[in-house]
Amino acid sequence: RGAAKAATYRSYLAAAGSWRFHLLFLATCIAFSSLSPLQSVALKMWVASMAPGASGDSSRPCLLYVLAGVAFITTTLARNVLLPSASVRASRRMHAAMTATVLRARISWFEATPLGRIL
C-alpha cells in the first residue's frame, strides 16, 4: 500500500535513456566501486616502498597511486554528470507524455475528473 509499482520504475528507466546509457552508467558505478580499494592498495604499496630497508624505486607505486586517483576523480565526475542528466531527461520525457495525454483527453474526462486529480 502506497508503494510504487514496478511498471512505474520501468517506465522511468526507459525514459532515462537507452540500454547503452544503462550499460555505461552500470560500468561507471562498477569502476567507481573498484577504484576506491585500488587507491588504498596503491597507497599501501607506495608507503611500503619508502619504508627503511625497502629495496627498489618508490616512483612506480607513486605513479600507480596517482593514476588510481585520477581515474577515481574522472569516474566520480562521470557518475555525477550521468545520473542528473538522465534524471532530467526522464522527467522531461515523462512530463511531456503526461501533458500530451491530458491535453488530448476528451471533454467528458475533464467533466468527470476533479481538478485536484488532474493537477
Side-chain angles (χ1 to χ4, degrees), residues 14-52:
S18 66
W19 61 272
R20 289 183 194 127
F21 169 78
H22 294 297
L23 287 178
L24 176 65
F25 187 71
L26 181 64
T28 304
C29 288
I30 290 170
F32 179 80
S33 298
S34 303
L35 287 171
S36 183
L38 178 65
Q39 275 188 298
S40 298
V41 170
L43 181 61
K44 182 180 176 182
M45 289 171 43
W46 184 28
V47 170
S49 72
M50 293 187 299

Side-chain angles (χ1 to χ4, degrees), residues 27-115:
T28 304
C29 288
I30 290 170
F32 179 80
S33 298
S34 303
L35 287 171
S36 183
L38 178 65
Q39 275 188 298
S40 298
V41 170
L43 181 61
K44 182 180 176 182
M45 289 171 43
W46 184 28
V47 170
S49 72
M50 293 187 299
S55 63
D57 187 19
S58 66
S59 63
R60 192 170 185 179
C62 176
L63 180 63
L64 178 64
Y65 179 65
V66 168
L67 290 175
V70 168
F72 184 75
I73 291 169
T74 304
T75 305
T76 302
L77 178 66
R79 188 189 65 161
N80 290 345
V81 167
L82 286 174
L83 186 60
S85 66
S87 297
V88 169
R89 184 183 317 116
S91 298
R92 286 183 178 170
R93 286 179 180 175
M94 292 182 81
H95 188 269
M98 288 184 282
T99 302
T101 301
V102 169
L103 292 178
R104 289 187 181 112
R106 295 182 181 266
I107 296 296
S108 60
W109 181 78
F110 287 101
E111 292 173 353
T113 307
L115 182 61

